[in-house]
Amino acid sequence: MTIIDPDIRKAETLPSRFYTDLETFNSIISSFGENWHFASHRNQLSAAQPIDNSLREPMLLTQVDGEIHCISNVCTHRGMLVCTEESDAKRLQCPYHGRIFSLDGQFRSMPEFDQVENFPTPDDDLRNFPLSEWKGLLFNTISATDFESFISAVEERVGWLPVADFTPDLSRHREYTIDSNWALYVDNYLEGFHIPFVHGDLHDVLDYDAYSTELFDGGVLQIGIANEGEPSFDLPEGHPDYGQNIAAYYFWLYPGLMLNFYPWGLSINLVIPETADKTRIVYHGFVGDASMLGQGAGGDLDKVEAEDQFIVEGCQKGVSSVAYERGRYSPTKEAGVHHFHRILTQ
Ligand code: FES
Ligand SMILES: [Fe+2]
């Protein structure tokens, strides 16, 4: 049992086995079904699309008459994936032996099954999973319940943005596989401490001393303040940050969801653990104000991403060393990392 001291001044960081040991990795990710995960934006749905996130469970988003369902993508006959790519079909047909389901998952027909007794039953339908929506963003889970408290910190700060009307921009989609544990990627995301050392261009547009970190249940919010003359949000009166030049709201929601709000819109990164030392990073971009693209903190995300990947892949090699076990935290700059490690070990 690993304890991360609640007092950051006394605490030691996560032991290295959290980043390297397969058993530890498996035991952590086996509980991801208890969390909400980003699935898609309502504005980018087709009739049926496989979900790509950290739930290790084949699932589909389907849409019938504007109603969205999250259903199992596993055929109830012999387990083939029903749908392997996005489709606009009016029904789902398993590619293995032709079983047909309606888009809400109900069994419809099956060749060569006339003689089967007591068939079909509800067990032959595709199972439904919980789905929740916040301003067009769709989230799914296996067994999480309280969606309101999951999203409340986001709602409180950026609920005024017309996220439901943002336009999915496929040109901003990215997918990387990196040689690093997923938690190292999250650690790196959760502090602005490294910005002056790692991100020269980003450092030029952000006010390093004003960068702030707020902790909440199940997540962290970091706020980047714009340097003089750099783009910032036009906050509504009465907003808690009214009067400040906010360049970016960086939300991290446990385990691996990052919602990055910039004056141009929203960039989402999904941190998808593959194995102890392999992680997939998936980016989705949603544009609210195209005139703000290419500037400020959210201006060149590819460059920032490459700089971060260089660091986390280097750290993966480092934490695998016999010379490294654990470190200490900066109380002024690493509260977000400490908070994450507390969540991970509780
Ligand atoms: S596995 Fe789907 S029809 Fe046989
Ligand atoms: Fe970074």
Side-chain angles (χ1 to χ4, degrees):
M1 182 67 189
T2 301
I3 309 265
I4 305 288
D5 198 302
D7 183 344
I8 192 170
R9 298 167 307 169
K10 299 194 172 92
E12 287 185 276
T13 62
L14 216 49
S16 57
R17 71 183 157 79
F18 277 82
Y19 306 113
T20 56
D21 176 56
L22 190 58
E23 228 173 276
T24 308
F25 170 86
N26 284 332
S27 92
I28 291 172
I29 64 160
S30 67
S31 67
F32 279 13
E34 297 161 23
N35 302 107
W36 289 99
H37 297 263
F38 175 75
S40 193
H41 190 298
R42 186 182 268 275
N43 293 350
Q44 66 180 5
L45 289 184
S46 32
Q49 71 187 41
I51 298 174
D52 182 22
N53 62 21
S54 304
L55 286 171
R56 300 190 151 199
E57 176 65 46
M59 294 179 180
L60 288 174
L61 282 179
T62 59
Q63 185 169 217
V64 208
D65 303 327
E67 199 179 325
I68 303 168
H69 304 264
C70 177
I71 59 175
S72 169
N73 191 16
V74 178
C75 181
T76 47
H77 177 219
R78 275 171 43 208
M80 176 58 186
L81 298 179
V82 177
C83 181
T84 49
E85 55 189 35
E86 203 168 317
S87 134
D88 271 316
K90 298 256 177 296
R91 51 181 206 176
L92 302 166
Q93 180 166 34
C94 177
Y96 199 0
H97 315 95
R99 181 168 292 199
I100 290 174
F101 305 90
S102 57
L103 287 172
D104 61 3
Q106 285 188 51
F107 173 92
R108 282 285 172 259
S109 66
M110 175 76 185
E112 310 293 343
F113 261 55
D114 292 347
Q115 295 160 32
V116 176
E117 291 177 22
N118 188 27
F119 179 87
T121 71
D123 286 345
D124 299 298
D125 296 335
L126 300 174
R127 176 168 159 194
N128 269 257
F129 290 99
L131 183 71
S132 288
E133 180 170 359
W134 178 78
K135 296 185 186 301
L137 303 182
L138 301 163
F139 299 86
N140 68 328
T141 181
I142 294 173
S143 63
T145 47
D146 192 355
F147 183 72
E148 295 311 311
S149 62
F150 166 77
I151 206 71
S152 62
V154 180
E155 166 65 30
E156 194 189 312
R157 241 27 190 274
V158 293
W160 59 280
L161 284 168
V163 179
D165 302 326
F166 284 6
T167 309
D169 180 355
L170 285 182
S171 76
R172 314 192 80 77
H173 182 81
R174 300 282 184 280
E175 193 170 330
Y176 307 97
T177 300
I178 60 171
D179 292 325
S180 151
N181 182 274
W182 71 279
L184 278 179
Y185 191 92
V186 174
D187 287 354
N188 175 67
Y189 180 86
L190 289 177
E191 43 92 353
F193 191 13
H194 68 274
I195 293 176
F197 302 100
V198 177
H199 306 300
D201 291 345
L202 180 61
H203 185 48
D204 288 343
V205 301
L206 287 181
D207 180 346
Y208 178 71
D209 295 321
Y211 193 89
S212 69
T213 302
E214 297 178 17
L215 314 179
F216 56 88
D217 245 6
V220 172
L221 165 62
Q222 295 169 92
I223 301 180
I225 304 291
N227 270 334
E228 205 50 43
E230 294 295 338
S232 61
F233 284 102
D234 195 6
L235 297 172
E237 250 176 84
H239 187 281
D241 306 318
Y242 186 74
Q244 296 189 62
N245 294 326
I246 310 281
Y249 288 104
Y250 302 107
F251 286 94
W252 163 76
L253 300 177
Y254 183 85
L257 175 60
M258 294 154 181
L259 303 173
N260 309 289
F261 292 90
Y262 304 108
W264 62 257
L266 168 63
S267 174
I268 296 184
N269 346 351
L270 308 182
V271 182
I272 304 178
E274 293 286 315
T275 182
D277 59 0
K278 231 172 239 328
T279 303
R280 251 177 350 113
I281 310 298
V282 177
Y283 272 79
H284 298 283
F286 305 95
V287 178
D289 180 354
S291 72
M292 301 298 272
L293 281 166
Q295 317 168 45
D300 191 351
L301 298 181
D302 289 335
K303 178 165 187 284
V304 174
E305 177 65 23
E307 291 162 347
D308 282 324
Q309 288 182 9
F310 171 75
I311 294 293
V312 295
E313 289 188 331
C315 286
Q316 183 67 36
K317 293 198 181 96
V319 298
S320 307
S321 148
V322 293
Y324 184 86
E325 171 54 17
R326 56 203 297 197
R328 304 291 300 274
Y329 301 98
S330 158
T332 51
K333 296 290 182 195
E334 292 177 309
V337 186
H338 177 247
H339 186 55
F340 169 44
H341 293 173
R342 296 263 305 148
I343 295 174
L344 212 51
T345 50
Q346 265 160 21

